[in-house]
Amino acid sequence: VTGQEEFQLRKNQNPCAMLTKYCQDVAGRAGMDFRLVFDQIYDTVVSQLIKLWDSLKAHRELKVDESFFVRCEPVAMETVVEARLRAETQKIVAASSMRRQKTLLGLLKKAVEQRDPAALREFNTQRPLYRLTDLERFELYRRAIVLLPSNAFMIDQFGLALMSVGRGDLASLLFENAVKRGVWGDVMQRPVSKYVKEIRALPWHDPTEYPFIADLEGRSGVIRSEFDTARERHPDLFTEEQENLHQGGNWTELRLKSSGNGWLASTNAHFPKTVAFLRGMEQEFTSIKFSSILPGTHIRPHTGPTNERLRVHLTLRHRGGARIRVNDTWHTWPEGKAIIFDDSWEHEVLNEGDHERTVLILDIWHPELPEDQRIVH
């Protein structure tokens, strides 16, 4: 390790155990506090090792586990996981759970070790279909982080999994280390697909700075009327959220325009006035969908895929009681009005009221993103 030539990582050894022993020896010789020495050396070791992770085949050559990425703090969730699984599931369900985790982890290993992009695509396809529980997600991503320690998605998912099982303290350590390694610029802004460092990082944006918002708000009544009619006549068009991001209540969506696939004829036919209005606007929208949450719904903390975009919520129905946090600031939804935020920042939603909250979600390009980089994936 550059700057710490006396420290060596050895095959088939746990790097945290070796690092702890080395720092204890240094602290003892220098008469310094162990934690001070460890904190100074840890970031250097992690940064250098992860840069060489693939070439060293570290996940196979070292006895490394998830604690290496949270300042070597013991995660020690196995006994908790086992106890809760016994309490919450039957043996057959637990066996099925293990098969799901094994399948997904096998796809990740194939993607990493064989450089197989098809396996990674299959992982991304299968992952939401399994609708993993909190415990399953924790078990999956604590292993996945060892395979792909520089992958923003894996870091974020492991952090969220830690939060879901009550270890937010370790999630903070994980995110802090990722920021020090240059994965992101802020522990609360964690785009999981693409991060553009050069554009302004602002969680909330002022709607008055975007001229199209006034036109959008002026048509909220027409859009709400078409939404109500479509939901009454064709409730099958609305689907439940697929990523297992919410607890309690219910969260349904209907997409009008998909990023990558464009306008969707199957749903557009039921919203002729809304679609005609939106397609006629000068403002470009990369994705458009309706989103409704019932009372008791908690959309847990999560982040969006990229900071290249901003997200607009046009409030169609809200009688109070629901709120949204982006970064560390909470806002609500005034009916008929729009809010704008950067969803690459950590955000969550609570509906503690007695009525549903319905919004039309529209994604736009971040105004500082150069035109030649505005590529819809």
Side-chain angles (χ1 to χ4, degrees):
V1 176
T2 303
Q4 301 293 334
E5 285 75 8
E6 295 180 358
F7 176 58
Q8 296 182 350
L9 290 166
R10 299 185 182 279
K11 287 185 179 183
N12 301 315
Q13 301 267 336
N14 184 297
C16 278
M18 289 185 282
L19 181 58
T20 299
K21 177 65 166 59
Y22 173 73
C23 291
Q24 287 173 340
D25 292 344
V26 171
R29 293 197 305 267
M32 298 174 63
D33 178 70
F34 163 75
R35 177 51 60 179
L36 179 62
V37 173
F38 183 90
D39 288 344
Q40 290 178 343
I41 297 176
Y42 171 82
D43 291 325
T44 300
V45 172
V46 173
S47 178
Q48 292 187 33
L49 181 56
I50 288 180
K51 288 178 181 178
L52 299 170
W53 200 260
D54 289 345
S55 61
L56 293 176
K57 297 182 176 59
H59 69 281
R60 288 189 298 184
E61 299 290 350
L62 294 171
K63 287 186 176 180
V64 63
D65 59 32
E66 68 276 8
S67 65
F68 181 64
F69 307 99
V70 291
R71 305 194 80 77
C72 293
E73 293 289 336
V75 178
M77 292 299 299
E78 288 81 6
T79 55
V80 176
V81 170
E82 290 169 0
R84 288 177 62 179
L85 277 175
R86 283 195 299 272
E88 296 173 7
T89 66
Q90 299 175 347
K91 289 183 179 180
I92 189 170
V93 177
S96 175
S97 168
M98 292 301 294
R99 285 195 296 272
R100 290 196 294 268
Q101 295 174 47
K102 188 175 181 180
T103 297
L104 291 172
L105 199 62
L107 289 170
L108 272 185
K109 286 183 177 179
K110 185 177 181 182
V112 172
E113 295 177 358
Q114 300 180 22
R115 295 292 192 272
D116 186 348
L120 193 57
R121 286 194 296 271
E122 183 65 12
F123 170 84
N124 286 323
T125 300
Q126 293 293 329
R127 179 177 53 83
L129 299 180
Y130 283 136
R131 298 186 68 80
L132 300 175
T133 67
D134 290 345
L135 300 176
E136 290 172 334
R137 289 174 62 222
F138 169 77
E139 286 294 311
L140 171 65
Y141 289 111
R142 77 183 186 90
R143 292 175 170 85
I145 192 70
V146 175
L147 292 172
L148 292 166
S150 293
N151 183 279
F153 176 79
M154 297 304 169
I155 299 170
D156 184 66
Q157 289 298 302
F158 180 45
L160 294 179
L162 284 167
M163 293 166 64
S164 71
V165 295
R167 295 308 305 267
D169 56 331
L170 297 184
S172 296
L173 294 177
L174 177 75
F175 296 148
E176 288 169 6
N177 177 258
V179 168
K180 289 178 180 178
R181 292 191 281 121
V183 177
W184 302 302
D186 191 289
V187 295
M188 294 293 283
Q189 187 185 30
R190 306 187 303 272
V192 297
S193 179
K194 187 175 181 181
Y195 174 51
V196 182
K197 297 180 180 180
E198 295 76 18
I199 57 181
R200 182 173 52 158
L202 189 64
W204 289 99
H205 287 244
D206 183 353
T208 62
E209 295 181 3
Y210 298 85
F212 73 91
I213 290 295
D215 292 337
L216 199 61
E217 292 175 340
R219 298 300 292 266
S220 63
V222 173
I223 297 172
R224 181 172 58 247
S225 178
E226 283 198 324
F227 170 85
D228 289 340
T229 300
R231 188 166 62 174
E232 181 180 350
R233 295 178 179 177
H234 306 281
D236 56 304
L237 291 174
F238 296 81
T239 59
E240 289 193 18
E241 178 268 329
Q242 296 297 310
E243 294 282 347
N244 196 27
L245 289 175
H246 75 285
Q247 292 176 311
N250 193 33
W251 179 12
T252 56
E253 298 181 329
L254 183 146
R255 194 172 292 276
L256 297 179
K257 185 178 182 182
S258 173
S259 178
N261 295 320
W263 295 93
L264 305 176
S266 60
T267 57
N268 288 185
H270 302 285
F271 302 88
K273 294 179 182 179
T274 299
V275 171
F277 167 66
L278 294 175
R279 296 188 77 156
M281 295 184 72
E282 293 184 6
Q283 175 63 48
E284 178 184 4
F285 302 108
T286 59
S287 177
I288 305 172
K289 64 182 178 181
F290 292 100
S291 174
S292 292
I293 58 170
L294 294 182
T297 304
H298 176 205
I299 302 177
R300 295 181 293 186
H302 64 289
T303 58
T306 179
N307 65 333
E308 294 177 314
R309 73 181 188 192
L310 299 179
R311 178 150 281 190
V312 179
H313 281 194
L314 174 64
T315 312
L316 303 180
R317 180 165 285 107
H318 181 223
R319 299 182 187 177
R323 56 198 175 108
I324 178 173
R325 174 183 65 82
V326 182
N327 191 19
D328 57 0
T329 303
W330 289 89
H331 281 247
T332 188
W333 291 271
E335 196 165 283
K337 297 295 183 178
I339 59 175
I340 308 180
F341 60 95
D342 180 341
D343 76 331
S344 67
W345 290 82
E346 183 181 290
H347 55 288
E348 68 175 314
V349 173
L350 288 168
N351 188 351
E352 300 168 313
D354 298 322
H355 305 277
E356 74 173 9
R357 180 239 58 180
T358 298
V359 297
L360 181 66
I361 300 177
L362 310 99
D363 292 337
I364 64 174
W365 294 113
H366 193 294
E368 296 181 8
L369 185 71
E371 291 283 346
D372 60 357
Q373 296 183 31
R374 299 184 178 187
I375 302 171
V376 176
H377 300 284

